[in-house]
């Protein structure tokens, strides 16, 4: 219900044949752009604040443009940028990006790709990515200590400058190497263009970073690359044949675009890079040593498209595994219970949940109880009237429940802030007069911020955290807050590799059920009649359903990188000082 803005989407295509090959075979000069457009549209869920594309032509003569870029803001950005594409922009290297801001910075300046220009083709660099770095302050200091003066303090721009600096050094290395071989003039340029080693650039760039990322780039000399973070936090999938090399953030995107089976596609491994040389040769290279796998479980629960073969089954398992807890919540009264879901992203978990009940009970009663209307624009100035209209974004199917007889079980993929439940969902569901409402989350309680690309950066946003603080206040446990605050400050004095997440101590005195009950109390509208019970997925259930994606820091506080732990401790300090103002 509460849409989470999150990481971004990337798409890359390297055409391995001459451009006229595709025009003759597929009937259009725009074959590459058409495929890139489809890849981006199929990942529209990953970014609706802006989009950008870039292309590089390998056959352009000096004096003519060979590296193109288009960017736009807004939900129609994809359509807008592709409407500007002309035949002169056709190239063998194509790259696209969809953006959701996780830093609060907006404007065309912050839309990817980022471009660094130079008169030497090999020194031109175009960069985009699905990433959020936790130590950008350290990287900024590293750059300034070298004498550089970045114009913008942001992970995208600073990464462009750092990688661009390392690319400059690689070109200069090749320049000296070419001279030592007795080459002169254009022969030196050709030698550089044909021998750029992006692995050198990536290894000396990415070693400085802490964060989750899939970094993608093109150079003016024709190198294409994508590198994944060593913890495997952010996803990337690729496909290679004799015509193309393609990469995307999600597997079904490649399947649909190029008519492939799931097994035709490979996943980029943690710390690994896919590198395509100017001559079209592609290889995989380990850029950073792989760390403990921490692939993002939220990708499986919510963010990635549910059409993926494995994700579809995982989401069904997430729903089915909740059957015993839901059965307990309805006191075993399946005959007088209606099952439903909201939003649409929860539909697959709903299918798993109802399958679980059918195995136990046979047929169950299912209804589409809650609907989301088209987005209503509220131009009325009065805040109370605006809030009232916003509360009616959702509506109900009247007559779908027997009043005061039927329980309503309604599943969501995650409950983060609880605002929509309090302001809209619970109020409208109560009009059906259910005997009891069981609100189910296919994910566990979200307790901790994310720092690797999801727009969840402040502790006070989470209803589970607010409920825990309320329990601490009720029970006179203020010393726990003070002790945790001091412990967090103490941790920040340590080397980041030695830090522990002290915020976890806040949850230790309370059971999941106690926190659930307090969440209900906080989210329940004052005039509501039906009782409410919350059922969350367990951590164990999460890992059983998604065994290959163990990243669970937003639920457990176990961050995969030192930077995440540091920022979580800092977030609690900020909460105490700026919200509680103690």
């Amino acid at each position: 219900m509460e849409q989470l803005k999150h990481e971004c989407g990337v798409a890359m295509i390297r055409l391995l044949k001459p451009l006229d090959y595709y025009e003759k075979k597929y009937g259009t000069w725009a074959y590459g752009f058409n495929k890139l457009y489809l890849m981006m549209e199929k990942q529209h869920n990953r970014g609706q604040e802006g989009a950008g594309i870039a292309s590089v032509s390998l056959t352009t003569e000096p004096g003519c443009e060979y590296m193109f870029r288009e960017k736009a803001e807004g939900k129609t950005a994809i359509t807008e940028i592709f409407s500007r594409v002309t035949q002169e922009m056709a190239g063998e290297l194509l790259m696209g990006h969809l953006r959701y801001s996780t830093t609060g910075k907006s404007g065309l300046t912050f839309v990817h790709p980022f471009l660094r220009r130079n008169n030497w083709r090999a020194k031109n660099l175009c960069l985009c990515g699905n990433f959020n770095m936790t130590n950008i302050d350290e990287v900024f200091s590293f750059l300034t200590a070298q004498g550089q003066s970045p114009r913008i303090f942001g992970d995208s721009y600073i990464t462009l400058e750092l990688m661009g600096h390392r690319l400059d050094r690689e070109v200069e290395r090749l320049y000296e190497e070419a001279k030592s071989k007795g080459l002169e003039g254009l022969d030196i340029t050709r030698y550089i263009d044909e021998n750029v080693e992006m692995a050198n650039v990536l290894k000396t760039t990415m070693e400085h970073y802490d964060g989750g990322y899939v970094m993608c780039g093109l150079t003016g000399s024709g190198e294409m690359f994508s590198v994944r973070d060593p913890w495997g936090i952010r996803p990337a999938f690729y496909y290679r044949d004799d015509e193309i090399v393609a990469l995307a953030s999600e597997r079904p995107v490649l399947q649909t675009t190029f008519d492939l089976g799931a097994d035709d596609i490979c996943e980029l491994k943690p710390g690994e890079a896919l590198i395509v040389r100017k001559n079209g040769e592609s290889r995989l290279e380990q850029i950073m040593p792989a760390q403990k796998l921490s692939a993002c479980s939220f990708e499986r629960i919510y963010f990635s498209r549910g059409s993926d073969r494995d994700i579809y089954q995982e989401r069904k398992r997430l729903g089915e595994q909740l059957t015993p807890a839901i059965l307990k919540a309805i006191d075993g009264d399946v005959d007088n219970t209606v099952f439903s879901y909201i939003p649409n992203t929860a539909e697959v978990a709903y299918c798993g949940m109802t399958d679980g009940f059918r195995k136990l009970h046979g047929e169950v009663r299912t209804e589409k109880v809650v609907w989301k209307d088209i987005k209503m624009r509220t131009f009325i100035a009065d805040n109370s009237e605006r809030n009232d209209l916003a509360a009616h974004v959702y509506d109900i199917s009247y007559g779908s429940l027997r009043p005061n007889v039927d329980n309503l079980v309604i599943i969501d993929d995650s409950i983060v802030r609880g605002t929509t439940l309090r302001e809209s969902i619970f109020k409208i569901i109560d009009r059906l007069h259910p005997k009891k409402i069981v609100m189910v989350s296919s994910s566990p309680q979200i307790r901790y911020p994310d720092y690797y690309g999801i727009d969840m950066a402040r502790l006070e946003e989470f209803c589970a955290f607010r409920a825990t603080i309320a329990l601490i206040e009720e029970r006179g446990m203020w010393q726990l807050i003070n002790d945790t605050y001091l412990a967090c400050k103490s941790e920040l004095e340590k080397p980041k590799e030695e830090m522990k997440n002290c915020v976890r101590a806040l949850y230790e005195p309370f059971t999941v059920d106690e926190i659930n009950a307090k969440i209900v109390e906080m989210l329940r509208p004052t005039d509501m009649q039906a009782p409410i019970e919350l059922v969350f997925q367990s951590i164990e259930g999460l890992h059983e359903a998604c065994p290959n994606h163990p990243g669970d820091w937003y639920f457990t506080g176990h961050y995969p990188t030192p930077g995440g732990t540091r920022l979580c401790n800092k977030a609690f300090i900020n909460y105490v000082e700026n919200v509680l103002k103690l």
Side-chain angles (χ1 to χ4, degrees):
M1 282 166 289
E2 303 160 32
Q3 186 182 38
L4 287 174
K5 297 178 182 179
H6 68 302
E7 67 269 5
C8 303
V10 296
M12 303 187 81
I13 298 174
R14 173 61 157 91
L15 302 177
L16 301 176
K17 307 283 189 183
L19 293 181
D20 60 0
Y21 168 91
Y22 302 93
E23 185 168 3
K24 291 175 182 176
K25 182 172 181 178
Y26 299 105
T28 175
W29 65 266
Y31 170 81
F33 280 116
N34 290 342
K35 293 298 186 182
L36 187 68
Y37 172 79
L38 183 56
M39 290 173 72
M40 292 176 70
E41 281 290 2
K42 290 295 179 182
Q43 296 182 99
H44 212 155
N45 57 300
R46 303 187 72 88
Q48 297 182 34
E49 291 185 0
I53 58 173
S55 66
V56 175
S57 171
L58 299 179
T59 58
T60 307
E61 294 296 324
C64 298
E65 183 59 83
Y66 54 88
M67 202 166 190
F68 300 88
R69 179 184 60 163
E70 290 288 343
K71 303 195 294 182
E73 290 186 276
K75 292 185 177 182
T76 62
I78 299 176
T79 303
E80 184 178 339
I81 56 179
F82 278 94
S83 71
R84 301 181 203 150
V85 169
T86 60
Q87 190 165 358
E88 70 172 4
M89 296 171 63
E92 293 84 354
L93 287 76
L94 304 169
M95 182 168 72
H97 185 266
L98 296 133
R99 182 177 191 263
Y100 259 139
S101 170
T102 58
T103 62
K105 295 178 179 178
S106 60
L108 202 59
T109 301
F110 298 98
V111 175
H112 299 204
F114 287 80
L115 181 58
R116 191 175 190 261
R117 289 290 200 179
N118 195 284
N119 268 358
W120 290 73
R121 286 186 69 134
K123 287 187 176 184
N124 284 271
L125 177 64
C126 195
L127 202 63
C128 76
N130 170 10
F131 61 88
N132 206 46
M133 306 303 187
T134 68
N135 68 330
I136 198 63
D137 51 343
E138 296 176 5
V139 181
F140 182 82
S141 297
F142 173 76
L143 283 176
T144 54
Q146 292 182 325
Q148 296 192 52
S149 184
R151 293 181 294 109
I152 300 172
F153 186 87
D155 51 7
S156 300
Y157 181 79
I158 289 174
T159 300
L160 178 73
E161 289 303 316
L162 176 56
M163 191 175 292
H165 175 258
R166 301 315 307 168
L167 181 60
D168 289 349
R169 299 290 82 78
E170 172 66 11
V171 171
E172 288 158 13
R173 178 187 72 82
L174 291 170
Y175 178 82
E176 294 299 327
E177 193 173 282
K179 286 184 66 177
S180 71
K181 293 178 180 290
L183 300 179
E184 296 180 353
L186 291 177
D187 289 335
I188 293 179
T189 299
R190 281 190 285 268
Y191 182 84
I192 292 171
D193 289 352
E194 292 168 2
N195 290 280
V196 171
E197 184 49 78
M198 282 308 301
N200 292 342
V201 177
L202 294 174
K203 286 176 181 178
T204 54
T205 300
M206 304 320 297
E207 65 180 355
H208 296 284
Y209 282 105
D210 179 304
Y213 56 82
V214 171
M215 196 73 66
C216 303
L218 312 174
T219 72
S221 59
E223 303 292 315
M224 184 177 97
F225 63 88
S226 180
V227 58
R228 190 180 185 191
D229 67 81
W231 302 271
I233 295 171
R234 301 269 67 88
F237 297 86
Y238 65 91
Y239 169 74
R240 299 185 283 184
D241 63 21
D242 62 343
E243 288 188 357
I244 61 162
V245 179
L247 179 137
S249 295
E250 300 185 24
R251 181 168 59 181
V253 172
L254 294 172
Q255 289 182 250
T256 300
T257 302
F258 298 103
D259 192 19
L260 303 170
D263 294 331
D264 296 327
I265 297 164
C266 300
E267 185 171 7
L268 204 60
K269 296 176 183 177
E272 189 176 61
L274 172 65
I275 299 173
V276 188
R277 303 291 302 272
K278 177 185 178 181
N279 61 10
E281 293 178 358
S282 62
R283 75 179 193 277
L284 298 168
E285 181 152 343
Q286 198 69 32
I287 298 301
M288 299 286 291
Q291 303 297 317
K292 182 179 179 182
L293 180 65
S294 299
C296 175
S297 58
F298 237 124
E299 285 280 355
R300 319 302 282 186
I301 297 167
Y302 174 73
F303 290 135
S304 289
R305 292 166 63 89
S307 58
D308 182 272
R309 179 190 65 186
D310 296 337
I311 291 176
Y312 182 78
Q313 295 301 327
E314 290 167 8
R315 290 184 183 176
K316 287 192 72 174
R317 284 197 295 271
L318 286 167
E320 185 172 351
Q321 286 170 180
L322 288 160
T323 302
I326 297 169
L327 191 64
K328 180 181 177 183
I330 61 174
D331 296 323
D333 190 8
V334 181
D335 290 331
N336 295 311
T337 298
V338 171
F339 296 87
S340 193
Y341 64 92
I342 187 172
N344 288 341
T345 51
E347 186 174 3
V348 179
Y350 160 80
C351 291
M353 175 183 70
T354 51
D355 282 352
F357 273 95
R358 289 187 182 101
K359 291 176 183 177
L360 287 174
H361 188 267
E363 281 305 305
V364 295
R365 296 170 57 202
T366 61
E367 301 285 355
K368 177 71 172 176
V369 174
V370 181
W371 299 78
K372 186 172 184 179
D373 287 340
I374 59 172
K375 189 171 184 180
M376 293 185 292
R377 298 186 180 274
T378 52
F379 298 109
I380 300 171
D382 182 82
N383 285 335
S384 62
E385 292 185 64
R386 184 183 295 115
N387 291 339
D388 182 63
L389 284 174
H392 289 80
V393 169
Y394 292 91
D395 210 338
I396 49 174
S397 297
Y398 291 96
S400 55
L401 269 67
R402 294 175 296 179
N404 304 310
V405 174
D406 289 332
N407 302 308
L408 174 61
V409 173
I410 189 162
I411 191 169
D412 193 352
D413 34 41
S414 60
I415 300 172
V416 186
R417 301 171 181 90
T419 307
T420 307
L421 289 176
R422 182 183 67 244
E423 299 297 331
S424 180
I425 300 298
F426 285 155
K427 290 179 180 179
I428 62 170
I429 289 177
D430 199 45
R431 296 176 189 172
L432 296 173
H433 305 294
K435 180 180 178 182
K436 182 179 185 179
I437 298 169
V438 180
M439 191 72 215
V440 182
S441 170
S442 65
S443 69
Q445 289 177 352
I446 297 172
R447 299 180 170 190
Y448 304 92
D450 180 81
Y451 298 108
Y452 306 114
I454 304 172
D455 184 22
M456 301 191 302
R458 299 193 309 276
L459 284 161
E460 59 268 26
E461 292 182 346
F462 310 127
C463 58
F465 177 80
R466 297 197 307 272
T468 301
I469 294 297
L471 287 171
I472 291 171
E473 293 174 351
E474 280 182 6
R475 301 182 188 185
M477 300 168 63
W478 281 102
Q479 191 61 40
L480 176 59
I481 291 178
N482 188 60
D483 289 346
T484 303
Y485 171 74
L486 294 176
C488 288
K489 295 200 75 170
S490 178
E491 289 298 304
L492 292 184
E493 300 298 320
K494 298 178 181 179
K496 65 179 183 179
E497 292 77 14
E498 299 176 11
M499 290 184 191
K500 296 178 182 179
N501 183 2
C502 296
V503 182
R504 299 181 72 243
L506 296 170
Y507 295 96
E508 291 175 0
F510 310 108
T511 66
V512 170
D513 288 342
E514 286 177 308
I515 296 173
N516 282 353
K518 180 53 67 174
I519 293 173
V520 169
E521 183 182 323
M522 295 171 66
L523 300 184
R524 180 186 178 86
T526 54
D527 56 350
M528 189 170 179
Q529 299 298 313
I532 304 171
E533 185 169 340
L534 289 180
V535 173
F536 282 90
Q537 183 69 253
S538 67
I539 299 296
E540 296 76 18
L542 170 68
H543 292 313
E544 185 177 341
C546 309
N548 299 318
H549 292 75
D552 62 2
W553 52 92
Y554 11 71
F555 310 124
T556 64
H558 295 305
Y559 288 91
T561 77
T565 302
R566 177 177 66 89
L567 289 176
C568 188
N569 285 325
K570 191 173 180 180
F572 186 69
I573 293 170
N574 291 339
Y575 170 75
V576 171
E577 294 177 351
N578 299 326
V579 179
L580 295 183
K581 297 183 178 180
L582 297 180

